[in-house]
Amino acid sequence: MNTINYLFLQLFLNLALFGRAKSDPDPLQDYCVADPETPQTFSLNGAPCIDPNLAISSHFTTSVLSKPGDTKANGFNVTLTNPFNLPGLNTLGLTMARIDIDANGIVPPHLHPRASEVTICLTGFLLVGFVDTSNRVFTQQLRPGESFVFPKGLVHFLYNYDSEEPAVALAGLGSQNPGAQIVSMASFTSEPSNPVEILKKGFQISDLNAAWIRRNLGG
């Protein structure tokens, strides 16, 4: 078994364990291939299914994670599978992500409200970590082939500490729609804006600090 196949096997074994504590409801059929083309007049918790007799093998495969993401804007890019690029994923309670990080780039502190995450470093060298609800931080350096788990809903980050080469990681998340909220963006670039007084007191900063951070984050 080559290295890449081993890494994918490791990821899927971890995803199987997620199934014991996943937040998404169990499917009521073998599969529910998403039908994103038919207009919907009401909101669904997921995507509607096509006729199962119309399902074909291509509904259960995708090459979207084989392509490097564009990191020019933020120094990182996350490419996520979803019912549009992998219709057979619908209702199965999991998703996968490719994470491309520039040299010295960072996926800033963020959280997934609906999913735990397991990340495998494919290339490069990563420093990863999360903070628990007691404000304890857990960090680990990852080399290619090594994995780390981020518990559901906890703030975490990934940092490429190689100053010359980019890094690539593959992640599995225990929800079809894990959600993502970057802490700094949620605090300083929300619409409408959080009251300045809240930011000043919450982060112990001045009006000028708040305005400077907002401007730097594009708020």
Side-chain angles (χ1 to χ4, degrees):
M1 181 181 296
N2 63 40
T3 301
I4 296 298
N5 286 339
Y6 171 77
L7 294 177
F8 273 97
L9 176 61
Q10 185 179 9
L11 175 65
F12 282 113
L13 288 174
N14 286 325
L15 283 173
L17 293 177
F18 277 159
R20 297 179 178 271
K22 64 184 180 181
S23 58
D24 293 6
D26 287 328
L28 299 178
Q29 58 282 316
D30 290 342
Y31 46 81
C32 171
V33 174
D35 178 13
E37 305 298 329
T38 303
Q40 299 299 313
T41 58
F42 54 89
S43 179
L44 291 174
N45 189 20
C49 313
I50 66 170
D51 182 338
N53 293 319
L54 301 178
I56 56 177
S57 297
S58 62
H59 288 138
F60 301 92
T61 187
T62 182
S63 61
V64 69
L65 301 183
S66 68
K67 305 168 185 176
D70 185 357
T71 60
K72 292 179 181 177
N74 301 303
F76 75 95
N77 185 86
V78 178
T79 304
L80 201 66
T81 58
N82 57 52
F84 294 94
N85 56 38
L86 185 56
L89 184 76
N90 192 38
T91 77
L92 298 185
L94 55 86
T95 193
M96 294 175 64
R98 174 186 173 131
I99 307 159
D100 293 274
I101 311 175
D102 285 346
N104 275 344
I106 186 173
V107 181
H110 65 285
L111 60 90
H112 304 293
R114 294 180 289 275
S116 297
E117 172 185 351
V118 58
T119 294
I120 297 177
C121 178
L122 296 183
T123 63
F125 303 97
L126 295 175
L127 175 67
V128 299
F130 69 87
V131 182
D132 71 10
T133 55
S134 299
N135 280 336
R136 290 193 303 168
V137 63
F138 299 82
T139 61
Q140 181 66 45
Q141 293 182 357
L142 297 184
R143 296 180 178 274
E146 296 178 336
S147 307
F148 194 80
V149 171
F150 304 112
K152 176 181 175 181
L154 295 186
V155 174
H156 59 282
F157 64 86
L158 298 91
Y159 171 58
N160 177 10
Y161 62 89
D162 190 322
S163 60
E164 297 181 356
E165 297 295 330
V168 180
L170 187 67
L173 298 105
S175 172
Q176 176 178 319
N177 183 22
Q181 192 169 39
I182 296 177
V183 176
S184 56
M185 301 295 285
S187 301
F188 289 93
T189 67
S190 63
E191 292 291 343
S193 298
N194 279 316
V196 173
E197 200 63 28
I198 300 299
L199 299 176
K200 287 168 57 180
K201 291 182 180 298
F203 291 91
Q204 294 295 294
I205 58 177
S206 67
D207 291 86
L208 290 176
N209 293 146
W212 182 80
I213 295 172
R214 271 181 170 161
R215 184 170 61 253
N216 281 357
L217 292 176

